[in-house]
Amino acid sequence: MKHYTLFKKILLPLAAFGLLIGFISFAFIFNHHLNNIEAKAHEETQKLANLLVTARTLVSEHVLSSMALLKQYASVEGAPNIHGVTDMLGTQVPNLRFGDSPQTGRTILVDSVTRIGSGTATIFVKRGQQFLRIATNVKKADGSNAFGTELNPYGKAIEKLQKNETYYGVVDILGEAYLSRYEPMHDDQGRVIGAWYVGYKLDFNAIDQAIRQWGFLEKGFVVITDGRGQIRFLTGGIPKKQALAALEDKQQHWKKVTKEVPEWDFKINILYPVNEAYWSALGALSPMMIIALILTLVVLMAVVSGLQRFVLNPLGGEPETAKLLLMRIESGDFAEDHIAATPDTLIANMVKMRRRLREMVTQIQASANHLKVSASVFDHAHDAIFITDERGLIVQCNPSFSVVTGYPQAEAIGQSPAALGIACQQPDFFQALYEGAQAFQEWQGEVWNRHHHGHDYLVELALSPVMNQAGQFQHYVGLFSDITHAKEQQNMLEHLAYHDVLTQLPNRVLFSSRLQQALLEAERQQSLVAICYIDLDDFKIVNDQYGHEFGDKLLMQLANRLTGILKPQDTLARLGGDEFAMLLCGGRTQTEYTRLLKKLLSAIEKPFSIDKFKFSISASIGYTLYPIDHNPPDTLLRHADHAMYHAKTHGGHQCHLFDLASAQQSQQQQLLLRDLLNGIQNSHIKLVYQPQVCMQTGKLFCFEALLRWQHPLRGLLYPNDFLNAVEHTSLIIDIGHWVIEESLRQLTEWQAQGLHTQVSVNIAAQHLMHKQFTEQLASLFKKYANIKPQQLHIEITESAAISDFARVNRVIQQCQALGVAFSIDDFGSGYSSLIYLRRLPVDIIKIDQSFIHNMLSNQEDLAVIRGVVMLCREFGRKVVAEGVEKAEQAHILAELGCDYAQGFGISRGMPGNKVIEWASKHDPYQFS
């Protein structure tokens, strides 16, 4: 009965209290573990978000630089403005212009900024609430340019543009993700009249590979969806149907952790089974439950022992003191309270017991926490961990060890690391850890392991020795992780940073680094280094006629061909477009390099075979020699560029060594080009008109439009003074287009005042062979509808006619179908031959003025004139004599049968507002 009372009043309440404390602790730790799992999932989603943002950042520089380049090129043509409407594929759209240059249907600007890589560019015009593509290299499904197509009215970009804001983010184009930038385009009054667009395709291969290997717990997985809820990335081995079912789970079988990535409009989801998380939490509680059971047994034994002592021994103090001690023990209060008692009494023993319990609980808690943390780290670490004994045999390894090496834990235990393929390329690696001066030391570095399936992989390995209290070696703890893919990605990124994407040649950054090293080596070896700059002469023709795909293939073949000729210590780099830089080392004389460069020129000129087509191109090479040209690297490359420009402007197909005189000439040409751009923008160029009259009747036949430039410092300049500087640039096309449009405008004005005549304009070869020449000409005739195409004559030089005979012939026929007449200017001064007179479908031949000037004193020149007139009569061509200054010349030409004449003897060039007055006095013209 007495024992029952003690049990009911003391032991039973104490046991119940212990169970309550255990249950609360169990619930708290269980919930804490579940929260840790969820927090880990949030950390994983943040890592994935960082991976996506990093991929986006790699392309951002291309997008921003391309947008700046597009707007810079556009600013050269003039400010954006709307000038009426124009026709595009049968639809009336606002006529967007840059300065006076219409942009509808043009691809020059957009192609020039995205010719490298997989980028796209577009110029939009605003029509109402729509944004229409008028200049673009975005392709439709049939492969044609998406001219006239509308920007998605429900997309993200148009909302920003309608608010006069910039949109910068990821957009799907034809099923591919592009990092895109849309900026509103304003006129001079700040109104939105269109938009700029530049985008680059994002490469998801590396991200897809990373996501496919990403998991969580044992059955959890990662799924990334876009703004429409479509799955973009998914952990490997997980069926898409299962992923969709988990995302839509309504019965809470799956735990979902989500992270928004606004830069992509993606949503990262980590899903794992709820029951798996519960079992994981229960597994973590097992050590704690054992410790709690042990602690409960210890407490109960101590209480029983105390009760026995209380019954068998005197109290040794006040009863209240014993009761207080019991209450504190029952409540788990083991704090020091400075209670004193007679030795060997119940109270004294209780005090001693409380002190020991306090020490025991503290030690057990510390050990439990340490074991819990160690076990969790060891079992859940992503890195492979193994422990060896003093003989070098593995005594323990974690689950990640089996994942990385392919060896099950049971098979790995008792084996040496070397037998499991660790440090397979260093047979004596582990033996050195146990023997010699470096034995039992820490080691860290990269080694190659061999997987259980036979393939090698690179790891980052760390080995740490474990000593006992006496300082004697007991174990080695090894930790390693597979870094093969990380190394491959690092090498890939380094390669992309220093090499051209298309040709895989070094880019400008790597070339600059090698140039600095080569200059130091040249000074040490007392040798010469050749710094070369290469530009392809005829590459634009390939791109224009066959497309950029053929141009890219040609560049790749060219890179392989030249690399095969150069020595290993030489460097060939692509700077951009069709421009290359070359570094030649080890030579002793200029003659050696000259011979090598001529060999390279011959190699370039050999035909290229691409898809059953053959292409022939040439190149211009400029170079300088260090230390003869003793300057910094940037200056040397600039000197080579100057020399290349000299070679190109002197006919191409050659190499040229830099010298100061050619550099100064190039600088003057660049200065002239800059002044000409300013002159065009400030309307300093103008046209004057020189009449052509009939030799037989004196009737006014035509006016030739002649270009003049009123330079602010050099005064009035003629075409020969400045057109050579822009002959090989796109500016010559813009000038020619302006001349044609200004002539048609002037014809319209004369016609309104009663003068019905014709006008003749000179067109450069590059402008004539531009792929949109005929379309732009037809567009001008629509704009100036009162002018008949028969009132326009186009003059081309003889050299232009023979540079690409077949193409010139085709363009002439297309323009003649519109009604335009053609003349060959300066006939006889170039490479004239009967075959061109017979096969070119021109209407008029203009005899060069050099023959007219000397016809009265030089019988050979007179014979040439007579022969040309006779031939033209046989071939049905009209003849115009240039440079007629004397009446005697006019009479002889009339007798020979020449049809028309022009020259200072008739009239000099006059402004357009003086033509009607002149015609009223001199039509018909009387040769006196």
Side-chain angles (χ1 to χ4, degrees):
M1 188 67 181
K2 182 178 180 180
H3 289 170
Y4 173 79
T5 302
L6 292 174
F7 176 79
K8 179 179 179 181
K9 292 184 177 181
I10 298 177
L11 295 180
L12 186 59
L14 184 61
F17 183 78
L19 289 174
L20 177 61
I21 294 297
F23 179 81
I24 294 174
S25 301
F26 177 88
F28 174 79
I29 297 174
F30 181 83
N31 187 63
H32 180 70
H33 189 77
L34 291 180
N35 291 338
N36 284 343
I37 294 176
E38 184 174 352
K40 182 63 177 177
H42 281 288
E43 292 177 5
E44 295 298 308
T45 60
Q46 185 60 49
K47 291 179 182 178
L48 292 170
N50 293 340
L51 178 64
L52 291 172
V53 172
T54 300
R56 180 180 185 269
T57 304
L58 292 176
V59 189
S60 295
E61 183 178 352
H62 289 296
V63 176
L64 296 177
S65 60
S66 295
M67 177 61 75
L69 189 60
L70 176 63
K71 297 172 74 174
Q72 179 183 356
Y73 283 175
S75 65
V76 173
E77 297 188 3
N81 64 91
I82 298 296
H83 186 75
V85 296
T86 186
D87 180 81
M88 184 172 193
L89 302 178
T91 302
Q92 294 295 311
V93 299
N95 183 20
L96 176 64
R97 305 188 307 177
F98 294 155
D100 294 329
S101 300
Q103 298 302 310
T104 303
R106 293 184 61 191
T107 61
I108 297 174
L109 289 180
V110 294
D111 284 344
S112 64
V113 299
T114 60
R115 65 181 61 178
I116 300 176
S118 56
T120 59
T122 298
I123 296 175
F124 290 90
V125 68
K126 184 178 182 184
R127 185 181 68 179
Q129 295 300 315
Q130 296 176 314
F131 286 82
L132 303 178
R133 296 179 176 89
I134 61 168
T136 182
N137 53 21
V138 172
K139 303 296 184 181
K140 295 191 292 188
D142 60 3
S144 62
N145 283 23
F147 291 123
T149 58
E150 178 185 356
L151 179 63
N152 183 5
Y154 306 104
K156 297 172 286 186
I158 197 168
E159 297 179 2
K160 292 286 187 179
L161 294 177
Q162 290 175 347
K163 297 177 181 178
N164 195 15
E165 296 176 358
T166 296
Y167 173 77
Y168 183 44
V170 179
V171 175
D172 275 354
I173 300 179
L174 299 180
E176 298 285 350
Y178 281 74
L179 182 57
S180 303
R181 186 176 181 90
Y182 294 82
E183 293 186 11
M185 181 188 299
H186 305 90
D187 59 10
D188 56 358
Q189 297 181 1
R191 294 174 298 192
V192 177
I193 60 173
W196 314 89
Y197 160 79
V198 171
Y200 278 82
K201 185 169 71 174
L202 293 160
D203 186 3
F204 284 136
N205 289 333
I207 297 176
D208 183 66
Q209 291 298 322
I211 301 303
R212 290 181 65 82
Q213 299 178 10
W214 216 298
F216 192 79
L217 298 180
E218 291 186 5
K219 298 181 180 180
F221 59 92
V222 178
V223 57
I224 299 179
T225 58
D226 58 22
R228 297 172 299 173
Q230 300 296 319
I231 294 179
R232 297 299 295 264
F233 304 98
L234 181 62
T235 298
I238 303 300
K240 191 172 182 180
K241 183 177 180 180
Q242 178 184 344
L244 290 172
L247 285 171
E248 298 172 358
D249 176 40
K250 302 298 185 182
Q251 300 179 355
Q252 298 184 347
H253 291 160
W254 291 86
K255 178 67 176 180
K256 180 168 69 174
V257 176
T258 301
K259 172 74 176 179
E260 300 282 350
V261 185
E263 295 87 345
W264 291 86
D265 196 15
F266 281 0
K267 182 183 292 185
I268 301 173
N269 303 277
I270 291 183
L271 298 102
Y272 57 91
V274 175
N275 57 357
E276 183 180 356
Y278 286 164
W279 282 113
S280 176
L282 288 174
L285 286 173
S286 298
M288 197 64 189
M289 294 173 64
I290 295 173
I291 294 172
L293 179 61
I294 293 173
L295 180 60
T296 302
L297 292 175
V298 171
V299 172
L300 290 175
M301 290 174 62
V303 171
V304 171
S305 175
L307 289 175
Q308 288 176 349
R309 281 182 169 271
F310 179 79
V311 173
L312 299 176
N313 301 316
L315 284 176
E318 294 291 332
E320 290 298 325
T321 303
K323 182 178 180 181
L324 178 62
L325 285 173
L326 287 173
M327 292 176 62
R328 290 179 177 175
I329 291 173
E330 183 181 13
S331 65
D333 180 8
F334 304 123
E336 182 64 49
D337 52 13
H338 305 290
I339 296 177
T342 304
D344 296 329
T345 62
L346 177 60
I347 295 177
N349 290 334
M350 290 174 65
V351 170
K352 185 185 298 184
M353 180 185 67
R354 289 180 69 245
R355 185 184 305 114
R356 289 178 179 176
L357 286 173
R358 179 171 62 252
E359 295 173 353
M360 185 183 301
V361 170
T362 302
Q363 184 177 0
I364 291 175
Q365 288 178 342
S367 299
N369 290 335
H370 180 72
L371 289 173
K372 178 182 176 183
V373 172
S374 299
S376 177
V377 171
F378 190 79
D379 291 336
H380 295 92
H382 290 292
D383 293 336
I385 304 174
F386 65 93
I387 302 174
T388 65
D389 59 13
E390 66 278 0
R391 297 175 300 167
L393 302 180
I394 295 177
V395 296
Q396 184 66 331
C397 61
N398 68 342
S400 293
F401 181 90
S402 299
V403 174
V404 175
T405 65
Y407 290 93
Q409 286 179 296
E411 185 177 342
I413 301 299
Q415 298 287 336
S416 67
L420 302 180
I422 300 176
C424 62
Q425 297 182 1
Q426 300 170 252
D428 300 330
F429 178 80
F430 286 98
Q431 183 178 357
L433 294 176
Y434 291 89
E435 300 176 2
Q438 302 298 323
F440 310 128
Q441 300 292 320
E442 290 188 359
W443 189 92
Q444 184 172 357
E446 296 179 359
V447 296
W448 284 95
N449 290 0
R450 182 156 294 141
H451 195 270
H452 187 40
H453 295 157
H455 63 271
D456 291 350
Y457 58 98
L458 184 66
V459 300
E460 179 74 24
L461 174 64
L463 294 168
S464 301
V466 178
M467 306 294 182
N468 59 18
Q469 293 180 351
Q472 297 175 335
F473 172 79
Q474 285 188 321
H475 305 284
Y476 256 120
V477 177
L479 184 146
F480 62 88
S481 59
D482 187 350
I483 61 172
T484 307
H485 296 298
K487 276 290 184 181
E488 291 175 352
Q489 291 180 355
Q490 178 183 349
N491 294 336
M492 180 187 67
L493 292 176
E494 290 178 354
H495 183 82
L496 290 175
Y498 294 105
H499 290 80
D500 173 55
V501 176
L502 177 65
T503 62
Q504 301 303 309
L505 293 175
N507 60 12
R508 187 183 294 272
V509 176
L510 182 55
F511 181 82
S512 298
S513 175
R514 292 186 180 179
L515 176 56
Q516 292 178 349
Q517 297 175 5
L519 299 185
L520 295 175
E521 185 68 16
E523 292 182 353
R524 189 175 66 85
Q525 297 289 344
Q526 295 184 352
S527 60
L528 289 177
V529 175
I531 300 92
C532 312
Y533 205 103
I534 306 175
D535 184 85
L536 304 182
D537 296 329
D538 309 314
F539 180 71
K540 188 177 185 301
I541 297 176
V542 177
N543 270 343
D544 290 346
Q545 291 186 354
Y546 297 92
H548 290 285
E549 180 182 359
F550 282 86
D552 291 345
K553 291 181 179 180
L554 188 149
L555 290 177
M556 289 188 286
Q557 287 191 20
L558 175 65
N560 293 333
R561 183 181 294 181
L562 296 184
T563 304
I565 298 175
L566 299 179
K567 295 178 292 185
Q569 63 267 31
D570 298 333
T571 297
L572 176 66
R574 185 185 181 208
L575 303 184
D578 60 347
E579 295 181 350
F580 297 81
M582 194 161 53
L583 187 62
L584 306 177
C585 305
R588 298 289 179 180
T589 64
Q590 175 185 340
T591 305
E592 292 182 46
Y593 288 125
T594 302
R595 188 182 302 114
L596 176 58
L597 291 176
K598 290 182 178 179
K599 181 179 179 181
L600 292 172
L601 283 174
S602 299
I604 294 173
E605 293 176 1
K606 290 181 180 179
F608 293 86
S609 297
I610 303 174
D611 296 345
K612 299 181 181 180
F613 292 96
K614 287 188 178 294
F615 302 94
S616 295
I617 61 172
S618 61
S620 300
I621 302 179
Y623 69 103
T624 187
L625 298 175
Y626 182 89
I628 297 175
D629 184 359
H630 200 282
N631 276 295
D634 290 343
T635 304
L636 293 173
L637 188 60
R638 188 165 60 252
H639 286 176
D641 188 15
H642 287 319
M644 181 278 295
Y645 186 78
H646 181 275
K648 194 173 190 68
T649 54
H650 286 74
H653 304 262
Q654 59 181 296
C655 57
H656 180 73
L657 178 64
F658 171 80
D659 62 78
L660 184 60
S662 65
Q664 291 175 343
Q665 181 182 2
S666 175
Q667 185 176 8
Q668 291 175 356
Q669 289 180 336
Q670 293 295 328
L671 181 61
L672 181 63
L673 181 60
R674 185 193 66 188
D675 290 345
L676 183 55
L677 285 172
N678 292 333
I680 294 173
Q681 294 173 356
N682 297 321
S683 301
H684 291 162
I685 62 172
K686 60 182 181 179
L687 294 179
V688 297
Y689 300 88
Q690 188 177 36
Q692 298 174 358
V693 299
C694 178
M695 297 291 292
Q696 308 300 326
T697 65
K699 292 292 293 180
L700 179 61
F701 168 61
C702 183
F703 283 93
E704 181 177 2
L706 303 173
L707 192 62
R708 299 291 184 265
W709 178 17
Q710 189 63 46
H711 194 281
L713 299 178
R714 299 170 58 186
L716 186 64
L717 299 180
Y718 291 84
N720 290 337
D721 297 325
F722 60 87
L723 285 185
N724 290 335
V726 297
E727 184 178 2
H728 299 287
T729 69
S730 60
L731 188 58
I732 194 68
I733 298 175
D734 296 330
I735 293 176
H737 186 80
W738 178 85
V739 169
I740 296 175
E741 182 169 9
E742 176 62 18
S743 300
L744 295 179
R745 187 201 64 78
Q746 186 63 69
L747 270 177
T748 303
E749 185 176 319
W750 290 340
Q751 202 158 281
Q753 300 178 41
L755 177 61
H756 296 272
T757 184
Q758 305 175 67
V759 69
S760 175
V761 297
N762 293 275
I763 295 301
Q766 184 176 352
H767 187 191
L768 181 70
M769 290 185 288
H770 187 264
K771 60 182 180 180
Q772 293 182 332
F773 179 80
T774 306
E775 290 81 355
Q776 291 177 348
L777 191 60
S779 177
L780 288 177
F781 283 131
K782 290 182 180 179
K783 181 177 181 180
Y784 298 95
N786 293 331
I787 302 301
K788 297 179 180 179
Q790 290 78 5
Q791 293 178 259
L792 178 66
H793 293 197
I794 294 179
E795 298 186 13
I796 58 174
T797 60
E798 188 179 346
S799 58
I802 68 173
S803 62
D804 189 346
F805 175 79
R807 189 172 180 183
V808 170
N809 201 343
R810 184 169 60 254
V811 173
I812 291 176
Q813 291 176 351
Q814 291 172 349
C815 294
Q816 286 178 332
L818 297 175
V820 178
F822 271 81
S823 306
I824 292 185
D825 195 13
D826 301 332
F827 189 81
S829 62
Y831 307 93
S832 58
S833 62
L834 291 177
I835 188 171
Y836 294 111
L837 184 62
R838 179 173 63 87
R839 295 180 59 188
L840 279 176
V842 296
D843 305 281
I844 298 173
I845 301 297
K846 298 185 70 175
I847 302 175
D848 187 64
Q849 60 184 345
S850 61
F851 296 100
I852 306 300
H853 287 167
N854 300 321
M855 63 178 291
L856 299 179
S857 58
N858 189 321
Q859 293 299 314
E860 293 180 353
D861 286 351
L862 183 61
V864 170
I865 296 171
R866 181 182 296 109
V868 171
V869 172
M870 292 177 61
L871 286 172
C872 290
R873 187 177 302 156
E874 293 295 327
F875 287 112
R877 309 286 194 267
K878 296 294 184 181
V879 181
V880 176
E882 294 182 301
V884 175
E885 299 181 354
K886 301 177 182 179
E888 187 177 356
Q889 293 172 330
H891 293 313
I892 295 175
L893 289 169
E895 292 176 357
L896 293 176
C898 184
D899 298 289
Y900 308 106
Q902 73 178 97
F904 290 170
I906 300 172
S907 174
R908 293 179 176 272
M910 67 190 81
N913 57 5
K914 300 292 185 180
V915 166
I916 293 180
E917 180 183 354
W918 184 91
S920 64
K921 297 178 180 180
H922 300 286
D923 187 16
Y925 185 82
Q926 299 294 328
F927 291 96
S928 57

